[in-house]
Amino acid sequence: MKLKKQVTVCGAAIFCVAVFSLYLMLDRVQHDPTRHQSGGNFPRSQISVLQNRIEQLEQLLEENHEIISHIKDSVLELTAHTEGQPALPHHTPNGSWVLPPESRPSFLSVSPQDCQFALGGKGQSPDLQMMAVYSLLPFDNQDGGVWKQGFDITYEPNEWDMEPLQVFVVPHSHNDPGWIKTFDKYYYDQTQHILNSMVLKMQEDPRRRFIWSEISFFSKWWDNISAQKRAAVRRLVGNGQLEMVTGGWVMPDEANSHYFAMIDQLIEGHQWLEKNIGVTPRSGWAVDPFGYSSTMPYLLKRSNLTGMLIQRVHYAIKKHFAATQNLEFMWRQTWDPDASTDIFCHMMPFYSYDVPHTCGPDPKICCQFDFKRLPGGRINCPWKVPPRAITDANVAERAQLLLDQYRKKSKLYRSKVLLVPLGDDFRYDKPQEWDAQFLNYQRIFDFLNSQPNLHVQAQFGTLSDYFDALYKKVGIVPGMRPPGFPVLTGDFFSYADREDHYWTGYFTSRPFYKSLDRVLEAHLRGAEILFSLALAHARHTGTDGRYPLSDYALLSNARRNLGLFQHHDAITGTAKEAVAVDYGSRLLHSLTNLKRVIINAAHYLVLGDKNTYHHDPAAPFLGMDDMRASQDSLPEKTVVKLGTLPRFLVVFNPLEQERLSVVPVLVDSLHTRVLSEEGQPLPCQLSAHWGSATDVVPDVYQVSVLARLPALGLRVLQLHESFGRPTLASSVRLYLHGRDLPVHQQEAIPLHVFPAAANDFCLENQHLRACFSGHSGLLQNIRRAGEEQEQRVSSEFLVYGTRTSKDKSGAYLFLPDGEAKPYVPKDPPVVRVTEGPLFSEVVSYYQHVQIMVRLYNVPGVEGLSLEVTCLVDIRDHINKELALRFSTDIESDDTFFTDLNGFQIQPRRYQRKLPLQANFYPMPTMAYIQDARSRLTLHTAQALGVSSLASGQLEVVLDRRLMQDDNRGLGQGLKDNKRTCNRFRLLLERRSTANKVQDERPVSFPSLLSHLTSMHLNAEALVLPMAQEKLPPLALRSFLPLSTTLPCDFHILNLRTLQAEDDSLPSAEAALILHRKGFDCSLEAKNLGFNCTTSQGRPPTAPASTWTPWKSPLSASAWCSISGSGRGAVRPGSMGAALSPAAPAWPGSSWASAPGTGEQALGRRCRTLQRLLPSNLLVLCSQISEAAVAGLPVAGAGHGSRQWVGKAALPCSHGCPWRCTGWAPPGPWGSTGAARSLVGLGQLPEELLCTGDQARLELVGNTRLFSKAPGLCLI
């Protein structure tokens, strides 16, 4: 009652302030002195008066908005630590369940400035916009002669007389970390020999060059070579002979990978390179991914790379860009108005990256200069003209022939600098090939360079050698835009390498492993965060000797296995069956280990007395939420056994927002009550646990608990077997549709069996009403609360076949035999309808798919959308692909939207001039269609292929079973299908301020609700039952790490503990990576139940004149903060001192400032992370030691420079527990403008993180992260 009174008072205060503010506005306008000025010249003076009034009104409205926002924040702060248990639901007379209104206030306050970026900036339009290019091209595939997909190239012999042609031949070996062979098999058979030979052969001639990209292989090789060989490698890198390009753990697929995993594998590779070789990559190399996302150039740009190369682009795009000399361009993000995201990109022009397709347009000639194919070798030239060894007798003729190809290729580019890759898959694995290639090419180079009349300079080079020469030729600093070169926005999906062979099948191939990938990713993020928090606390309390530091090795191994699976033949589903099993085994092994890491951290963090912590790997304190019997099986949830004593559950919420969620738990007792840790009963729903359409699993029940879960926190719950007040049971209706099936049920769960089909029926909560077909059990329409009109959203299953001709669908290609046909099962479905107080659901059992649509009866995010789950099993299909299509009356025309890597949205347009398969695109996290009134978004928990083939339609391919190879090198079909669970959320939103001009822009954003819906889907709460069936000997307490609510648009991407010198142990450093998400404000945002606001990138702040030193439980003798001037400041304190959050600095106190101690290892590692993710992903590093704060990187004067400020020696016995060293500067280097968010919206203004007015993010205990002001932070 006290809380309700407080909330009532605060609500009244908000109302009064709003009314009073409006009164002041009117009063000030009425008494505006400009009203009494003489009329004079009416048109000018009166307009001026009106303009002044408008400006005053805008200013007053903004002030009013800030006042109300502060009051809302105060109310949120007031209720943040008051549990306010959800009220129990009750039945109404009409038979429906009603959940009482929330006892806590729910606010959604969007700052107007946060909407501006989505409305578009004033930046210049790009020269090349990929949607426009697709609309322009005829895609006619005319025969181009020797360059079959291009055209004849001619030139004048004297074109290079004034400016010689400069040729860089770049030797490379593309090593797939798994494809035809497993990762280990490739390493032992080929990769180790390539790298061993590289060290020997490169030292024979300082003119030789080589590039390498896959750090996964390189690190394995490094661990097995001598110190002498390592020193040789460092020398080769140091003198520029060997270049590490891109530097990721793998060369990732860019269609199916999620940006968390893309960034993580990039960090893993870059940190390995810095630690072991001391090098930072400068150029990106991606010759084999099957299409390219615009996410990757953004990440590479933020990693301080200045150039990148791509290859697998639609052949018609290549031809068009070659004809217009646009194969090199500045790749810009669609949402970037000021060119801060530009990175220089080189597109290879021809069919492949092998030697026959890289020297010039004629593969018959180029093949003659692949000296591995010399007569007598294992491979030859398909064009029947073999290479010839270069001798004094033939060098002139051979060099002239090759130069002709070089010149023709150079005509496709704008500069007189030419890049010629020299390599292929797993090349240079024998010393003989090194000799054949390098010796013969060197003879050609020596001849060409000795002939001034040829006007050519040829040499071996690295990728960066080429980019540097180009930059020098055009007279610019690396990374800047070369004069006259075009700017491009958009992506390069979908890819076709010839004819109508579109590589759109792999968007769905092997969906089981695509799903397992995302499960592992979610567990890795959760484990990273909990491990970092637990370790920091354990170290400071002196219990780290008992804490399992060995868990860090499990984390490191999981990072690398997740990174390995981002490889473009792994997550794509395009590897051999045995290789897929190897990947799956690695993923499952790491998933199991991560559950151990989470259990150990959760055990420590929920203990009331940390000194009693004891780690026993043989008898873990907490159990796992589920188990998988093998790498190709679905998880089985843990059944909690109840007895006379209560069983405890620890529920982990991996989101940075508090969530009100329905948490499912399997128990062995019908009589179950769930209590909070304070002993208060929580709302529950009892349901049967079904083993099949008509069979209930005996003696197992599902208890679904409505619980409020703290942000990034651990909630302790109690399970009791109680024979008192019964848990609210759900009711079940089973429709058999005339099928004679035995039904096994439990007496305690009401079940009504209907032999015939049902009439159409509906499920409803306070937000929406969903109606279903009584015959099929499939969704038919949705009606949102407050609307009279239903929105048609009908679902159906479809089947695609494959062609009967020679070319058929396979792991890579989607070559359907026409439009999809309706799925016709052998028997009608069994439909089960469950209704209960917390959720209701419809499950339809078909022969090959089981679909569940669930509607949660809870306030907030989970009750605003439909949960859709498809359990697919097509193992008896032959050359079929199963799809799910939603058909609506949304007038979307030919436009739809898909995400890129869960990172940004890319508008798509159905191209009728292209075949059906060309119109499918990757969907890692969401796709939507919209018109002026509505938007329908399909959120997904796994990457799949998606399209909209007609207005109002959205369809997703669920699984593919194909019996043949599609002639792209794999040599197998897709016949190893698994029972696969695909999870979705279907969100229907009303558009309130749609704008036709806005809708035609090549950029779009999800709504804030859509972002949070996606997060709820992809970051499920983890339920950890206490492993021992007895009372815990020690008190357990819920763990709430955040002291205040983060803004709704902030996402903590990771809190990643960095490695020590010993790779298997954690250092005292961690990286906190924040992501501020962009959102579309045109979607209606009423009654969404969010307990958060947006705040222009600023966490809640204190008055500008104060800043608060905090007593940290991790520091024995110091208050640590940093002054607004950027100088470090420390104030000795005592354990007994405690200040309130609003306490100002002590008056008259003397603050000791000390100079910094130099750029230590911490600063070096943080700079690596900052180079990786500066401006829009904030990178912060923590230090828990007696070392001084190393420094705070801020914007420098130019490329590569840093200014270090805020250095302070800390006389803390354990140091300040969380120390930040770097969010990247606002905007591009040296600029002062606001940086853009990761997904392109909103702003990271100068105040985002640091000194001055501080906000606090409580990480451990009372440790807080001060924020505001440019630069970065401290605690």
Side-chain angles (χ1 to χ4, degrees):
M1 289 298 295
K2 181 179 179 181
L3 173 63
K4 289 185 177 179
K5 289 180 180 179
Q6 291 173 328
V7 171
T8 302
V9 170
C10 291
I14 292 171
F15 177 79
C16 292
V17 169
V19 172
F20 184 66
S21 298
L22 289 172
Y23 172 80
L24 287 177
M25 279 189 267
L26 291 172
D27 183 67
R28 287 180 62 174
V29 170
Q30 288 174 354
H31 293 84
D32 188 351
T34 59
R35 293 176 57 90
H36 305 291
Q37 294 175 356
S38 59
N41 185 349
F42 174 80
R44 296 182 61 184
S45 62
Q46 203 65 9
I47 289 174
S48 176
V49 169
L50 289 172
Q51 185 175 358
N52 289 337
R53 289 178 182 175
I54 291 171
E55 290 176 354
Q56 289 177 349
L57 283 171
E58 288 177 344
Q59 181 178 355
L60 289 168
L61 285 169
E62 178 63 24
E63 291 173 358
N64 183 58
H65 172 80
E66 290 184 2
I67 291 170
I68 293 175
S69 294
H70 281 304
I71 293 175
K72 288 181 177 180
D73 291 340
S74 298
V75 175
L76 291 177
E77 181 74 20
L78 178 69
T79 60
H81 299 292
T82 304
E83 187 54 34
Q85 303 296 343
L88 297 174
H90 61 271
H91 239 135
T92 62
N94 66 5
S96 63
W97 287 96
V98 172
L99 200 68
E102 269 272 73
S103 60
R104 295 176 51 173
S106 295
F107 295 133
L108 174 61
S109 173
V110 177
S111 176
Q113 289 85 347
D114 291 332
C115 301
Q116 292 305 308
F117 194 84
L119 298 177
K122 300 179 180 179
Q124 294 182 347
S125 298
D127 305 291
L128 303 168
Q129 207 293 315
M130 289 310 300
M131 283 184 67
V133 171
Y134 263 78
S135 299
L136 173 69
L137 296 184
F139 294 92
D140 51 2
N141 194 24
Q142 295 183 4
D143 192 327
V146 294
W147 178 17
K148 194 169 181 63
Q149 297 173 333
F151 47 84
D152 287 332
I153 304 173
T154 60
Y155 62 86
E156 296 297 327
N158 60 355
E159 287 190 36
W160 292 271
D161 288 359
M162 301 302 296
E163 187 179 358
L165 180 64
Q166 193 172 2
V167 180
F168 288 90
V169 174
V170 180
H172 70 97
S173 180
H174 177 62
N175 283 235
D176 291 300
W179 181 38
I180 306 302
K181 303 177 185 179
T182 66
F183 173 79
D184 288 333
K185 182 70 170 168
Y186 269 137
Y187 173 77
Y188 290 114
D189 288 356
Q190 291 164 281
T191 303
Q192 65 169 333
H193 305 302
I194 296 169
L195 294 172
N196 286 330
S197 296
M198 178 268 296
V199 177
L200 294 174
K201 293 298 180 180
M202 294 290 285
Q203 295 181 90
E204 292 179 1
D205 189 337
R207 296 173 295 180
R208 295 179 178 180
R209 300 289 185 271
F210 197 66
I211 63 172
W212 189 267
S213 65
E214 296 84 6
I215 305 305
S216 52
F217 273 131
F218 204 87
S219 67
K220 186 176 180 69
W221 173 71
W222 187 267
D223 290 341
N224 291 283
I225 62 175
S226 65
Q228 181 181 9
K229 193 172 284 188
R230 291 181 180 181
V233 171
R234 293 190 183 103
R235 286 195 299 271
L236 291 172
V237 171
N239 65 24
Q241 286 186 260
L242 173 63
E243 181 182 12
M244 312 304 291
V245 287
T246 306
W249 201 245
V250 296
M251 185 185 293
D253 169 53
E254 299 185 21
N256 302 289
S257 293
H258 190 267
Y259 79 103
F260 174 95
M262 294 172 74
I263 291 170
D264 207 63
Q265 65 88 28
L266 206 53
I267 292 176
E268 193 67 24
H270 281 212
Q271 286 212 299
W272 189 94
L273 285 172
E274 186 203 36
K275 177 184 176 183
N276 292 282
I277 303 180
V279 66
T280 301
R282 296 176 52 209
S283 302
W285 175 265
V287 292
D288 205 24
F290 323 137
Y292 298 92
S293 164
S294 52
T295 299
M296 199 64 186
Y298 179 83
L299 296 179
L300 296 182
K301 168 74 173 184
R302 294 310 187 210
S303 306
N304 261 10
L305 276 69
T306 55
M308 61 180 295
L309 175 146
I310 59 177
Q311 152 60 24
R312 289 192 183 272
V313 174
H314 195 297
Y315 62 89
I317 300 293
K318 287 191 171 194
K319 178 180 178 179
H320 174 66
F321 281 10
T324 54
Q325 289 190 325
N326 286 329
L327 287 167
E328 290 182 321
F329 49 85
M330 299 302 291
W331 199 344
R332 180 178 299 171
Q333 300 302 304
T334 55
W335 38 263
D336 176 13
D338 57 11
S340 65
T341 62
D342 288 9
I343 184 171
F344 187 79
C345 182
H346 173 100
M347 182 187 294
M348 295 170 63
F350 306 125
Y351 173 77
S352 175
Y353 56 84
D354 61 5
V355 180
H357 295 95
T358 49
C359 88
D362 191 342
K364 180 179 179 180
I365 293 175
C366 290
C367 193
Q368 298 174 44
F369 294 90
D370 183 358
F371 296 103
K372 182 175 182 176
R373 302 176 193 250
L374 286 166
R378 298 178 59 184
I379 59 173
N380 52 33
C381 286
W383 296 270
K384 308 300 183 184
V385 181
R388 286 185 280 161
I390 304 302
T391 64
D392 291 342
N394 68 10
V395 64
E397 177 265 329
R398 304 309 290 170
Q400 197 73 48
L401 184 64
L402 183 58
L403 178 59
D404 176 65
Q405 291 297 301
Y406 288 168
R407 286 175 170 175
K408 287 178 177 176
K409 182 177 181 180
S410 75
K411 290 290 291 180
L412 308 179
Y413 295 90
R414 298 187 180 221
S415 80
K416 295 294 193 297
V417 184
L418 181 65
L419 172 65
V420 181
L422 181 67
D424 201 348
D425 292 357
F426 295 95
R427 282 300 190 91
Y428 302 95
D429 60 341
K430 293 181 172 57
Q432 294 85 343
E433 183 183 357
W434 285 89
D435 292 337
Q437 302 285 27
F438 280 93
L439 293 175
N440 283 292
Y441 267 97
Q442 192 61 58
R443 291 177 188 129
I444 293 174
F445 296 162
D446 290 344
F447 176 81
L448 291 174
N449 298 339
S450 68
Q451 304 295 313
N453 60 306
L454 296 179
H455 303 286
V456 62
Q457 178 70 34
Q459 63 195 77
F460 292 116
T462 64
L463 184 58
S464 291
D465 286 341
Y466 166 74
F467 284 134
D468 288 344
L470 188 150
Y471 297 143
K472 182 178 180 181
K473 183 78 74 172
V474 298
I476 62 164
V477 174
M480 301 299 290
R481 178 182 177 184
F485 281 62
V487 171
L488 177 144
T489 62
D491 67 341
F492 294 100
F493 292 115
S494 291
Y495 168 58
D497 58 350
R498 60 177 183 260
E499 301 168 2
D500 61 352
H501 293 190
Y502 282 84
W503 296 45
T504 52
Y506 81 94
F507 299 156
T508 296
S509 295
R510 292 193 171 115
F512 179 90
Y513 293 111
K514 286 176 166 66
S515 176
L516 184 56
D517 162 75
R518 293 280 279 278
V519 171
L520 178 63
E521 179 182 304
H523 278 75
L524 176 58
R525 176 179 170 273
E528 295 270 25
I529 291 171
L530 282 186
F531 178 84
S532 296
L533 297 177
L535 179 61
H537 203 298
R539 279 178 164 158
H540 200 77
T541 57
T543 58
D544 54 319
R546 284 175 286 171
Y547 194 84
L549 299 183
S550 57
D551 279 2
Y552 188 76
L554 304 182
L555 270 179
S556 181
N557 182 257
R559 294 168 181 169
R560 294 181 173 189
N561 280 336
L562 179 67
L564 186 70
F565 195 68
Q566 306 314 303
H567 165 55
H568 56 263
D569 282 308
I571 193 172
T572 54
T574 55
K576 288 274 193 184
E577 291 180 8
V579 179
V581 170
D582 181 63
Y583 286 136
S585 299
R586 291 171 182 268
L587 295 180
L588 178 59
H589 177 72
S590 288
L591 179 60
T592 304
N593 285 339
L594 289 175
K595 288 181 183 292
R596 287 173 51 194
V597 175
I598 290 172
I599 285 169
N600 292 337
H603 174 198
Y604 178 84
L605 291 171
V606 298
L607 283 179
D609 182 359
K610 302 295 188 290
N611 291 316
T612 61
Y613 176 76
H614 173 68
H615 170 63
D616 183 358
F621 185 74
L622 298 171
M624 297 185 182
D625 56 331
D626 58 33
M627 295 287 289
R628 293 177 185 247
S630 63
Q631 58 86 27
D632 59 354
S633 62
L634 292 171
E636 295 288 337
K637 284 195 172 294
T638 301
V639 178
V640 179
K641 297 180 180 180
L642 300 182
T644 55
L645 297 177
R647 289 294 301 276
F648 285 81
L649 301 177
V650 176
V651 185
F652 172 45
N653 172 23
L655 296 184
E656 57 284 308
Q657 300 293 340
E658 180 188 79
R659 68 202 285 181
L660 186 63
S661 289
V662 175
V663 179
V665 184
L666 293 185
V667 297
D668 66 345
S669 174
L670 175 66
H671 307 283
T672 305
R673 293 183 69 206
V674 184
L675 307 179
S676 68
E677 64 180 300
E678 296 85 6
Q680 297 298 316
L682 297 177
C684 294
Q685 175 176 326
L686 183 68
S687 308
H689 183 52
W690 294 84
S692 68
T694 57
D695 291 335
V696 171
V697 179
D699 301 322
V700 177
Y701 307 88
Q702 178 173 298
V703 173
S704 301
V705 189
L706 182 61
R708 192 182 308 284
L709 306 177
L712 293 178
L714 300 161
R715 178 79 187 276
V716 177
L717 304 178
Q718 306 176 46
L719 290 179
H720 289 258
E721 187 171 33
S722 172
F723 296 90
R725 180 179 177 181
T727 301
L728 297 171
S730 55
S731 62
V732 181
R733 304 193 304 272
L734 196 63
Y735 298 96
L736 301 181
H737 292 91
R739 298 171 64 181
D740 184 17
L741 298 171
V743 178
H744 300 95
Q745 65 183 88
Q746 292 170 330
E747 294 182 3
I749 308 295
L751 173 64
H752 304 281
V753 180
F754 299 88
N759 296 322
D760 291 355
F761 58 92
C762 301
L763 302 179
E764 187 172 7
N765 68 8
Q766 64 265 46
H767 300 296
L768 54 89
R769 171 187 172 99
C771 296
F772 300 80
S773 163
H775 176 72
S776 68
L778 299 180
L779 182 66
Q780 296 297 302
N781 57 67
I782 299 174
R783 190 180 74 194
R784 288 164 44 92
E787 295 181 355
E788 296 182 1
Q789 190 69 31
E790 294 175 338
Q791 179 88 56
R792 183 171 72 95
V793 185
S794 62
S795 56
E796 61 179 322
F797 290 105
L798 305 166
V799 175
Y800 285 98
T802 190
R803 298 177 180 178
T804 56
S805 60
K806 177 183 177 182
D807 297 313
K808 294 181 174 65
S809 296
Y812 300 92
L813 305 184
F814 179 32
L815 296 173
D817 58 356
E819 294 185 0
K821 300 173 180 60
Y823 167 69
V824 181
K826 182 175 64 175
D827 299 303
V830 172
V831 178
R832 186 177 72 239
V833 182
T834 302
E835 293 188 76
L838 299 183
F839 70 85
S840 299
E841 66 183 22
V842 180
V843 186
S844 303
Y845 289 84
Y846 290 87
Q847 181 182 357
H848 298 98
V849 60
Q850 167 188 328
I851 181 171
M852 181 199 74
V853 180
R854 177 177 290 183
L855 178 62
Y856 287 99
N857 186 29
V858 299
V861 174
E862 295 195 1
L864 289 159
S865 59
L866 292 172
E867 182 179 300
V868 180
T869 302
C870 294
L871 184 60
V872 179
D873 188 351
I874 59 171
R875 286 177 288 182
D876 63 351
H877 269 324
I878 295 177
N879 278 332
K880 302 293 183 185
E881 308 189 32
L882 185 67
L884 173 62
R885 175 182 291 171
F886 295 96
S887 299
T888 74
D889 46 20
I890 293 174
E891 298 173 355
S892 58
D893 297 327
D894 59 359
T895 301
F896 60 109
F897 305 82
T898 67
D899 76 289
L900 292 171
N901 316 105
F903 183 84
Q904 56 187 319
I905 298 296
Q906 177 63 51
R908 307 293 186 188
R909 187 169 292 127
Y910 177 71
Q911 299 285 349
R912 289 174 174 79
K913 61 188 172 185
L914 294 178
L916 180 149
Q917 64 268 23
N919 289 287
F920 276 78
Y921 293 93
M923 177 184 65
T925 63
M926 71 178 73
Y928 55 83
I929 54 175
Q930 67 183 23
D931 59 15
R933 298 179 300 277
S934 303
R935 174 185 289 182
L936 180 72
T937 305
L938 180 67
H939 295 91
T940 179
Q942 59 286 308
L944 296 168
V946 72
S947 187
S948 176
L949 301 177
S951 181
Q953 287 185 3
L954 196 60
E955 74 176 67
V956 56
V957 181
L958 300 175
D959 202 358
R960 329 174 60 227
R961 183 169 174 83
L962 302 160
M963 314 310 290
Q964 63 284 312
D965 181 46
D966 50 9
N967 299 310
R968 292 305 184 276
L970 180 59
Q972 287 183 347
L974 285 176
K975 297 183 285 187
D976 57 344
N977 302 75
K978 326 290 182 193
R979 290 179 71 245
T980 300
C981 185
N982 293 319
R983 298 170 48 246
F984 309 97
R985 275 193 177 268
L986 194 64
L987 174 65
L988 179 64
E989 297 175 281
R990 182 190 295 123
R991 300 188 74 199
S992 56
T993 57
N995 181 298
K996 182 174 177 59
V997 175
Q998 189 73 19
D999 286 350
E1000 291 177 352
R1001 293 177 63 228
V1003 62
S1004 187
F1005 299 92
S1007 68
L1008 197 56
L1009 173 59
S1010 185
H1011 276 306
L1012 293 178
T1013 300
S1014 182
M1015 292 299 301
H1016 276 240
L1017 176 63
N1018 284 280
E1020 292 186 297
L1022 297 182
V1023 181
L1024 309 174
M1026 197 179 73
Q1028 301 163 2
E1029 299 174 24
K1030 59 182 179 180
L1031 276 174
L1034 306 169
L1036 302 182
R1037 297 176 183 173
S1038 293
F1039 172 66
L1040 287 71
L1042 301 188
S1043 64
T1044 188
T1045 304
L1046 266 67
C1048 298
D1049 50 345
F1050 270 69
H1051 172 47
I1052 297 179
L1053 189 68
N1054 207 351
L1055 179 58
R1056 188 184 205 265
T1057 297
L1058 305 182
Q1059 67 184 21
E1061 288 303 312
D1062 180 347
D1063 291 356
S1064 64
L1065 295 176
S1067 71
E1069 307 161 20
L1072 173 63
I1073 306 176
L1074 298 178
H1075 171 192
R1076 185 161 181 240
K1077 298 193 172 187
F1079 56 94
D1080 185 347
C1081 293
S1082 73
L1083 282 301
E1084 190 173 89
K1086 293 181 179 178
N1087 303 317
L1088 300 185
F1090 297 168
N1091 282 305
C1092 59
T1093 69
T1094 70
S1095 56
Q1096 302 176 50
R1098 292 191 298 266
T1101 58
S1105 61
T1106 68
W1107 44 283
T1108 307
W1110 280 92
K1111 185 70 182 78
S1112 164
L1114 305 190
S1115 173
S1117 63
W1119 301 93
C1120 302
S1121 183
I1122 198 163
S1123 68
S1125 65
R1127 293 179 58 82
V1130 294
R1131 170 72 157 88
S1134 67
M1135 287 296 290
L1139 295 180
S1140 70
W1146 296 300
S1149 59
S1150 62
W1151 292 84
S1153 295
T1157 57
E1159 298 181 8
Q1160 303 170 349
L1162 171 68
R1164 184 172 67 252
R1165 292 193 183 185
C1166 288
R1167 290 197 301 279
T1168 297
L1169 287 167
Q1170 181 180 0
R1171 283 195 295 270
L1172 177 62
L1173 302 166
S1175 93
N1176 298 347
L1177 278 179
L1178 309 182
V1179 180
L1180 304 89
C1181 295
S1182 68
Q1183 172 86 20
I1184 310 170
S1185 71
E1186 297 186 33
V1189 176
L1192 310 177
V1194 298
H1199 171 74
S1201 66
R1202 301 288 189 278
Q1203 178 184 355
W1204 291 82
V1205 298
K1207 300 182 178 180
L1210 306 178
C1212 310
S1213 63
H1214 292 281
C1216 278
W1218 290 96
R1219 181 185 55 82
C1220 319
T1221 60
W1223 81 295
W1229 295 115
S1231 73
T1232 58
R1236 298 303 178 190
S1237 75
L1238 180 64
V1239 88
L1241 168 95
Q1243 296 172 307
L1244 295 176
E1246 296 106 18
E1247 309 89 24
L1248 180 58
L1249 276 173
C1250 236
T1251 58
D1253 299 350
Q1254 76 281 356
R1256 14 180 235 291
L1257 166 61
E1258 183 176 329
L1259 291 177
V1260 181
N1262 288 327
T1263 304
R1264 286 158 169 92
L1265 187 147
F1266 293 99
S1267 42
K1268 204 155 180 225
L1272 197 48
C1273 77
L1274 282 329
I1275 308 220

